[in-house]
């Protein structure tokens, strides 16, 4: 079976020769980032989103093929809400149901709320979880390819993890360790062996670790610099102390200074750190407080934008403190290994769902079946089961009946299949982000409405490229690439993982065999205000057609890998785009409350009101799966007594 999608004819009109002769432009420009003037021009463009094949593109095979990134349908519904053309005023609902608890949002936070409800529910209590996509998981979903009979799975978004420690008491634990214990997630995993007889290549086990200072050395990373006509590769540049790069000596010294700086300041408490660091950006911390050159902050942009949406100019130094960033932390030990399930954190979402609705994933309640089994969609939303999960359902209006302080129930209106439906609930968990909550929660107190308006969300694109082989990477001696982005380029980084082996899912690790090359692509425009950066990013993400992205990706691959023998027609089997319009809540300076004593916006939202509580990863500042589930769990406990 050859269920793959060839790139659409690109090979016929772009060759390496065309490329070198001028299809691509702007060699030798900036190390990272583009020009503010160019971006300001782009800002005038209006995002065009049409729910057709040309925008959404190929989705791969398997259960996730119809849900990669934000679907056009989910976005169209969201835009109707934003434009005020959805809601309870639009005619009578075609159905009405009553539940004790309604959870809105089927990502890690919503699943965390549902798991806690499952444990604490009283006999007979009912719960409905709504999500606006065709499959659960939110940003923790997967793509699947079939390349000439080889099954390949890759993450759509959230993808990697460190293995947490054991806990002795689940109830007092939180975050990742708690859910490992609660869901019985194993701590030992199998990866493909790599024989060094071939070439001593090192592989990242996720799509993230190769960007992290200290862990980058565990991967064979090539940095591509725009230099001369063809560009220059510098492999393992940090191990070589940048001696193999075309950077001038001053830039090298400045970058090495930054890279080599450990925890320069010791804070007596986390609160002391927050009060000072949250008043400045990481860039200000490095350059103003530490007197470092500009190169460190520019390089840090890559890592920060991959972790929290935008670069060092608009990310709080306190967020950088919580990450292993130079100047604020020592590098992690190189022995700390990142891991990734075949579909990234989809593996966690599937563990939650298996626990909530055992028949939802075929097979037994064991790791192998949970990770590789098929979804049984019919089992998700059966009448009478304690927790029902309803997909393709967009909540458009949520409000108390009467005054929130003494209301007896909440009315929820949602849209499904073009029709409006009504729910009554005694309690509601909004496991959705502020970008939508501020439109759909209709009776917000002013404090909450103001706080919701203070979040800023950056978009993100994960492009998974199925390859029939990766001989061109092998020839270059790399498994991950980071490039010196210049005008006209696509993305910043890409890599292939050493794929986890799970039961019958045994993907190869051989340059002559298929693999998935993942481009994790943020949108950041250094120097512009945060509001402009996120609008520009979304405009670019949403206004680019699938065919256009396909071209950009292939051109970028020709630029990087053409000289090493990359041939799109033979090497690319299919490309899936996963577009996330509001991927990350950006922890800008002040996000955590800054130096003041007033509650941060996230703490106001965490208070909830009446019978409605809020729990989403955006409240954490650094979005991560365990804390996301904790936010959902906390929100559930706030409404528990009301249901
Ligand atoms: C590219 C990328 C990489 C990441 N990498 C990692 C990683 O390696 N490790 C990690 O731990 N985390 C990572 N994250 C962070 C990730 O966001 C969190 O770990 C977690 O998955 C977020 O869960 P959530 O439930 O808070 O939000 P979401 O995943 O956003 O879930 C919210 C759900 O609510 C739905 N929804 C929205 N509006 C409505 C409505 N009106 N009606 C019904 N449903 C609605 C949404 O569509 C979505 O399905 C990454 C994120 C991105 C974008």
């Amino acid at each position: 079976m050859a269920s793959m999608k060839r790139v659409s004819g690109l090979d016929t009109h772009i060759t390496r020769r065309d490329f070198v002769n001028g299809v691509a432009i702007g060699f030798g420009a900036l190390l990272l980032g583009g020009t503010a003037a160019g971006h300001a021009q782009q800002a005038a463009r209006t995002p065009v989103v049409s729910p057709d094949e040309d925008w959404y593109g190929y989705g791969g095979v398997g259960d996730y093929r119809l849900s990669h990134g934000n679907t056009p349908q989910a976005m169209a519904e969201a835009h109707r809400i934003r434009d005020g053309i959805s809601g309870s005023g639009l005619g009578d609902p075609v159905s009405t149901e009553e539940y004790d608890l309604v959870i809105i949002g089927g990502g890690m936070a919503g699943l965390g709320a549902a798991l806690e409800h499952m444990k604490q529910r009283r006999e007979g209590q009912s719960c409905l979880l709504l999500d606006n996509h065709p499959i659960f998981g939110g940003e923790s979903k997967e793509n699947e390819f079939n390349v000439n009979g080889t099954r390949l799975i890759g993450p759509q978004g959230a993808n990697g993890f460190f293995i947490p420690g054991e806990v002795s008491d689940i109830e007092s634990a939180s975050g990742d360790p708690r859910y490992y214990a609660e869901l019985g997630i194993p701590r030992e995993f199998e990866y493909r062996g790599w024989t060094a007889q071939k070439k001593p290549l090192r592989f990242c086990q996720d799509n993230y670790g190769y960007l992290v200072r200290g862990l980058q050395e565990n991967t064979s990373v090539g940095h591509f610099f725009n230099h001369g006509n063809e560009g220059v590769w510098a492999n393992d540049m940090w191990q070589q102390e940048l001696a193999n790069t075309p950077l001038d000596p001053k830039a090298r010294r400045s970058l090495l200074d930054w890279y080599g700086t450990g925890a320069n300041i010791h804070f007596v408490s986390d609160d002391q750190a927050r009060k000072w660091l949250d008043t400045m950006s990481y860039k200000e911390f490095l350059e103003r407080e530490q007197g470092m050159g500009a190169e460190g902050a520019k390089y840090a942009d890559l890592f920060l934008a991959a972790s929290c949406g935008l670069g060092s100019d608009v990310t709080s130094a306190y967020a950088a403190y919580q990450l292993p960033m130079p100047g604020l932390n020592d590098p992690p030990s190189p022995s700390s290994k990142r891991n990734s399930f075949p579909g990234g954190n989809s593996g966690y979402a599937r563990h939650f769902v298996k626990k909530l609705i055992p028949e939802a994933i075929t097979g037994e309640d064991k790791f192998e079946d949970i990770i590789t089994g098929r979804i049984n969609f019919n089992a998700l939303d059966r009448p009478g089961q304690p927790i029902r999960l309803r997909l393709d359902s967009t909540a458009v209006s949520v409000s108390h009946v009467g005054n929130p302080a003494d209301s007896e129930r909440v009315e929820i209106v949602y849209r499904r299949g073009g029709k409006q439906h009504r729910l009554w609930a005694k309690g509601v968990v909004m496991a959705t982000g502020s970008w939508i909550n501020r439109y759909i929660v209709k009776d917000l107190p002013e404090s909450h409405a103001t706080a919701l308006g203070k979040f800023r969300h950056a978009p993100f694109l994960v492009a998974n490229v199925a390859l029939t082989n990766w001989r061109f990477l092998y020839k270059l001696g790399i498994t991950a690439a980071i490039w010196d982005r210049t005008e006209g380029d696509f993305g910043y980084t890409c890599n292939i993982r050493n794929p986890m082996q799970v039961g019958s899912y045994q993907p190869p690790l051989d340059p002559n065999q298929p693999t998935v090359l993942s481009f994790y692509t943020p949108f950041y425009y250094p120097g512009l205000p945060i509001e402009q950066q996120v609008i520009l990013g979304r405009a670019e993400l949403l206004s680019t057609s699938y065919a256009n992205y396909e071209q950009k990706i292939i051109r970028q691959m020709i630029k990087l890998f053409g000289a090493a023998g990359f041939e799109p027609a033979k090497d690319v089997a299919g490309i899936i785009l996963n577009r996330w319009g509001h991927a990350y809540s950006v922890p800008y300076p002040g996000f955590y409350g800054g130096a003041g004593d007033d509650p941060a916006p996230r703490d106001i939202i965490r208070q909830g009101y009446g019978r409605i509580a809020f729990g989403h990863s955006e409240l954490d500042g650094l979005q991560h799966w365990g804390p996301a589930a904790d936010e959902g769990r906390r929100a559930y406990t706030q409404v528990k007594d009301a249901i």
Side-chain angles (χ1 to χ4, degrees), residues 548-580:
N548 199 342
Y549 265 135
E550 189 181 55
Q551 272 205 3
K552 283 170 181 265
I553 292 166
I554 295 296
R555 279 170 194 236
Q556 191 62 37
M557 290 179 71
I558 294 171
K559 175 176 176 179
L560 297 170
F561 310 128
F566 168 66
E567 291 184 58
K570 291 191 187 143
D571 299 343
V572 176
I575 297 176
I576 304 180
L577 301 180
N578 304 287
R579 310 186 202 219
W580 302 108

Short mmCIF file of all heavy atoms in Angstrom, two decimals, residues 548-580:
data_model
loop_
_atom_site.label_atom_id
_atom_site.label_comp_id
_atom_site.label_asym_id
_atom_site.label_seq_id
_atom_site.Cartn_x
_atom_site.Cartn_y
_atom_site.Cartn_z
N ASN A 548 1.53 26.98 -1.22
CA ASN A 548 2.60 27.96 -1.02
C ASN A 548 3.58 27.48 0.05
O ASN A 548 4.79 27.56 -0.11
CB ASN A 548 1.94 29.29 -0.63
CG ASN A 548 2.86 30.45 -0.84
OD1 ASN A 548 4.06 30.28 -0.98
ND2 ASN A 548 2.31 31.64 -0.87
N TYR A 549 3.05 26.95 1.16
CA TYR A 549 3.94 26.43 2.20
C TYR A 549 4.75 25.24 1.66
O TYR A 549 5.94 25.09 1.95
CB TYR A 549 3.16 26.01 3.44
CG TYR A 549 3.10 27.11 4.50
CD1 TYR A 549 1.93 27.43 5.15
CD2 TYR A 549 4.26 27.83 4.83
CE1 TYR A 549 1.89 28.44 6.10
CE2 TYR A 549 4.22 28.83 5.79
CZ TYR A 549 3.04 29.14 6.42
OH TYR A 549 3.00 30.14 7.36
N GLU A 550 4.08 24.40 0.89
CA GLU A 550 4.76 23.23 0.34
C GLU A 550 5.97 23.70 -0.48
O GLU A 550 7.08 23.18 -0.34
CB GLU A 550 3.75 22.48 -0.54
CG GLU A 550 4.21 21.14 -1.02
CD GLU A 550 3.14 20.50 -1.91
OE1 GLU A 550 2.70 21.13 -2.90
OE2 GLU A 550 2.75 19.37 -1.61
N GLN A 551 5.74 24.73 -1.29
CA GLN A 551 6.84 25.28 -2.09
C GLN A 551 7.94 25.86 -1.23
O GLN A 551 9.12 25.63 -1.47
CB GLN A 551 6.30 26.43 -2.95
CG GLN A 551 5.76 25.99 -4.26
CD GLN A 551 5.82 27.12 -5.29
OE1 GLN A 551 6.31 28.21 -5.00
NE2 GLN A 551 5.33 26.85 -6.47
N LYS A 552 7.53 26.62 -0.22
CA LYS A 552 8.54 27.25 0.65
C LYS A 552 9.40 26.18 1.32
O LYS A 552 10.61 26.34 1.46
CB LYS A 552 7.85 28.08 1.75
CG LYS A 552 7.32 29.43 1.31
CD LYS A 552 6.46 30.00 2.44
CE LYS A 552 5.86 31.34 2.09
NZ LYS A 552 6.64 32.45 2.57
N ILE A 553 8.74 25.12 1.79
CA ILE A 553 9.47 24.08 2.51
C ILE A 553 10.46 23.38 1.56
O ILE A 553 11.62 23.15 1.89
CB ILE A 553 8.48 23.08 3.15
CG1 ILE A 553 7.71 23.78 4.27
CG2 ILE A 553 9.20 21.84 3.68
CD1 ILE A 553 6.49 23.03 4.77
N ILE A 554 9.96 23.06 0.37
CA ILE A 554 10.83 22.36 -0.58
C ILE A 554 12.00 23.26 -1.00
O ILE A 554 13.15 22.82 -1.07
CB ILE A 554 10.02 21.90 -1.81
CG1 ILE A 554 8.99 20.86 -1.39
CG2 ILE A 554 10.93 21.34 -2.89
CD1 ILE A 554 9.55 19.57 -0.85
N ARG A 555 11.71 24.53 -1.22
CA ARG A 555 12.80 25.45 -1.58
C ARG A 555 13.84 25.52 -0.48
O ARG A 555 15.04 25.54 -0.72
CB ARG A 555 12.25 26.86 -1.81
CG ARG A 555 11.67 27.03 -3.18
CD ARG A 555 10.91 28.35 -3.27
NE ARG A 555 10.11 28.31 -4.47
CZ ARG A 555 10.16 29.21 -5.43
NH1 ARG A 555 10.97 30.23 -5.34
NH2 ARG A 555 9.41 29.09 -6.51
N GLN A 556 13.34 25.56 0.77
CA GLN A 556 14.27 25.61 1.89
C GLN A 556 15.11 24.35 1.95
O GLN A 556 16.31 24.39 2.21
CB GLN A 556 13.49 25.79 3.20
CG GLN A 556 14.37 26.13 4.39
CD GLN A 556 15.09 27.45 4.22
OE1 GLN A 556 14.54 28.40 3.66
NE2 GLN A 556 16.34 27.51 4.66
N MET A 557 14.46 23.22 1.68
CA MET A 557 15.21 21.96 1.72
C MET A 557 16.23 21.90 0.60
O MET A 557 17.34 21.38 0.77
CB MET A 557 14.24 20.77 1.67
CG MET A 557 13.42 20.63 2.94
SD MET A 557 12.26 19.25 2.89
CE MET A 557 13.38 17.85 2.98
N ILE A 558 15.87 22.46 -0.55
CA ILE A 558 16.85 22.48 -1.65
C ILE A 558 18.03 23.37 -1.26
O ILE A 558 19.19 23.02 -1.47
CB ILE A 558 16.19 22.96 -2.96
CG1 ILE A 558 15.16 21.94 -3.42
CG2 ILE A 558 17.25 23.17 -4.04
CD1 ILE A 558 14.30 22.42 -4.59
N LYS A 559 17.69 24.50 -0.66
CA LYS A 559 18.77 25.41 -0.25
C LYS A 559 19.72 24.73 0.73
O LYS A 559 20.94 24.82 0.62
CB LYS A 559 18.16 26.67 0.39
CG LYS A 559 19.19 27.63 0.95
CD LYS A 559 18.53 28.90 1.47
CE LYS A 559 19.55 29.82 2.11
NZ LYS A 559 18.95 31.07 2.60
N LEU A 560 19.13 24.04 1.71
CA LEU A 560 19.96 23.44 2.75
C LEU A 560 20.63 22.15 2.28
O LEU A 560 21.81 21.91 2.56
CB LEU A 560 19.11 23.12 3.98
CG LEU A 560 18.46 24.29 4.71
CD1 LEU A 560 17.46 23.78 5.75
CD2 LEU A 560 19.51 25.16 5.39
N PHE A 561 19.84 21.33 1.59
CA PHE A 561 20.30 19.96 1.37
C PHE A 561 20.55 19.60 -0.09
O PHE A 561 20.96 18.47 -0.39
CB PHE A 561 19.26 18.97 1.95
CG PHE A 561 18.83 19.28 3.36
CD1 PHE A 561 17.49 19.39 3.70
CD2 PHE A 561 19.78 19.47 4.35
CE1 PHE A 561 17.08 19.67 4.99
CE2 PHE A 561 19.38 19.76 5.67
CZ PHE A 561 18.03 19.86 5.98
N GLY A 562 20.27 20.54 -0.99
CA GLY A 562 20.41 20.23 -2.42
C GLY A 562 21.81 19.75 -2.78
O GLY A 562 21.98 18.76 -3.50
N ALA A 563 22.80 20.41 -2.24
CA ALA A 563 24.19 20.05 -2.58
C ALA A 563 24.55 18.67 -2.04
O ALA A 563 25.48 18.03 -2.53
CB ALA A 563 25.15 21.10 -2.03
N ALA A 564 23.79 18.22 -1.04
CA ALA A 564 24.07 16.89 -0.48
C ALA A 564 23.21 15.82 -1.14
O ALA A 564 23.17 14.68 -0.68
CB ALA A 564 23.81 16.91 1.02
N GLY A 565 22.52 16.20 -2.23
CA GLY A 565 21.80 15.19 -3.01
C GLY A 565 20.31 15.13 -2.79
O GLY A 565 19.65 14.23 -3.30
N PHE A 566 19.74 16.07 -2.03
CA PHE A 566 18.29 16.05 -1.82
C PHE A 566 17.56 16.26 -3.13
O PHE A 566 17.84 17.21 -3.86
CB PHE A 566 17.90 17.14 -0.82
CG PHE A 566 16.41 17.37 -0.75
CD1 PHE A 566 15.56 16.39 -0.26
CD2 PHE A 566 15.85 18.58 -1.19
CE1 PHE A 566 14.19 16.60 -0.20
CE2 PHE A 566 14.48 18.80 -1.14
CZ PHE A 566 13.65 17.79 -0.64
N GLU A 567 16.62 15.38 -3.43
CA GLU A 567 15.80 15.52 -4.65
C GLU A 567 14.35 15.40 -4.24
O GLU A 567 13.88 14.30 -3.90
CB GLU A 567 16.13 14.41 -5.64
CG GLU A 567 17.51 14.52 -6.24
CD GLU A 567 17.71 13.43 -7.29
OE1 GLU A 567 16.92 13.37 -8.25
OE2 GLU A 567 18.61 12.61 -7.10
N PRO A 568 13.60 16.51 -4.30
CA PRO A 568 12.22 16.47 -3.81
C PRO A 568 11.39 15.36 -4.42
O PRO A 568 10.63 14.67 -3.71
CB PRO A 568 11.66 17.85 -4.18
CG PRO A 568 12.77 18.66 -4.72
CD PRO A 568 14.00 17.82 -4.81
N ALA A 569 11.51 15.15 -5.71
CA ALA A 569 10.64 14.18 -6.38
C ALA A 569 10.85 12.78 -5.84
O ALA A 569 9.90 12.00 -5.72
CB ALA A 569 10.90 14.20 -7.88
N LYS A 570 12.08 12.46 -5.46
CA LYS A 570 12.35 11.10 -4.98
C LYS A 570 12.28 11.00 -3.47
O LYS A 570 11.97 9.94 -2.92
CB LYS A 570 13.76 10.69 -5.41
CG LYS A 570 13.91 10.49 -6.90
CD LYS A 570 15.26 9.83 -7.18
CE LYS A 570 15.52 9.78 -8.67
NZ LYS A 570 16.92 10.00 -9.00
N ASP A 571 12.61 12.08 -2.81
CA ASP A 571 12.84 11.97 -1.37
C ASP A 571 11.63 12.35 -0.51
O ASP A 571 11.55 11.92 0.64
CB ASP A 571 14.03 12.87 -0.96
CG ASP A 571 15.32 12.46 -1.67
OD1 ASP A 571 15.36 11.32 -2.19
OD2 ASP A 571 16.26 13.26 -1.71
N VAL A 572 10.74 13.18 -1.05
CA VAL A 572 9.60 13.63 -0.22
C VAL A 572 8.36 12.81 -0.57
O VAL A 572 7.95 12.75 -1.73
CB VAL A 572 9.32 15.13 -0.44
CG1 VAL A 572 8.09 15.56 0.34
CG2 VAL A 572 10.53 15.95 0.02
N ALA A 573 7.77 12.20 0.46
CA ALA A 573 6.57 11.39 0.23
C ALA A 573 5.30 12.16 0.57
O ALA A 573 4.23 11.86 0.05
CB ALA A 573 6.64 10.13 1.08
N GLY A 574 5.39 13.15 1.42
CA GLY A 574 4.19 13.90 1.79
C GLY A 574 4.49 14.92 2.86
O GLY A 574 5.44 14.76 3.62
N ILE A 575 3.69 15.98 2.88
CA ILE A 575 3.90 17.05 3.88
C ILE A 575 2.57 17.32 4.58
O ILE A 575 1.55 17.51 3.91
CB ILE A 575 4.38 18.35 3.20
CG1 ILE A 575 5.74 18.13 2.52
CG2 ILE A 575 4.47 19.49 4.23
CD1 ILE A 575 6.27 19.33 1.74
N ILE A 576 2.59 17.30 5.90
CA ILE A 576 1.39 17.70 6.67
C ILE A 576 1.71 18.99 7.42
O ILE A 576 2.74 19.10 8.08
CB ILE A 576 0.97 16.62 7.69
CG1 ILE A 576 0.75 15.27 7.00
CG2 ILE A 576 -0.29 17.05 8.43
CD1 ILE A 576 0.34 14.15 7.94
N LEU A 577 0.80 19.95 7.30
CA LEU A 577 0.93 21.20 8.05
C LEU A 577 0.02 21.16 9.26
O LEU A 577 -1.16 20.82 9.13
CB LEU A 577 0.51 22.39 7.18
CG LEU A 577 1.28 22.62 5.89
CD1 LEU A 577 0.70 23.85 5.16
CD2 LEU A 577 2.77 22.82 6.14
N ASN A 578 0.57 21.51 10.40
CA ASN A 578 -0.23 21.64 11.63
C ASN A 578 -0.14 23.10 12.06
O ASN A 578 0.90 23.53 12.57
CB ASN A 578 0.33 20.72 12.72
CG ASN A 578 0.38 19.28 12.26
OD1 ASN A 578 -0.65 18.62 12.16
ND2 ASN A 578 1.57 18.77 11.96
N ARG A 579 -1.20 23.85 11.79
CA ARG A 579 -1.17 25.29 12.08
C ARG A 579 -1.91 25.54 13.39
O ARG A 579 -3.07 25.17 13.53
CB ARG A 579 -1.88 26.08 10.98
CG ARG A 579 -1.44 25.74 9.58
CD ARG A 579 -2.12 26.69 8.62
NE ARG A 579 -2.17 26.15 7.28
CZ ARG A 579 -2.00 26.87 6.18
NH1 ARG A 579 -1.77 28.16 6.27
NH2 ARG A 579 -2.09 26.30 5.00
N TRP A 580 -1.22 26.19 14.30
CA TRP A 580 -1.82 26.52 15.60
C TRP A 580 -1.92 28.03 15.72
O TRP A 580 -0.92 28.72 15.87
CB TRP A 580 -0.96 25.95 16.74
CG TRP A 580 -0.77 24.46 16.63
CD1 TRP A 580 0.36 23.79 16.28
CD2 TRP A 580 -1.77 23.45 16.86
NE1 TRP A 580 0.15 22.43 16.28
CE2 TRP A 580 -1.16 22.19 16.64
CE3 TRP A 580 -3.11 23.48 17.24
CZ2 TRP A 580 -1.85 20.99 16.77
CZ3 TRP A 580 -3.79 22.27 17.36
CH2 TRP A 580 -3.16 21.05 17.13
#
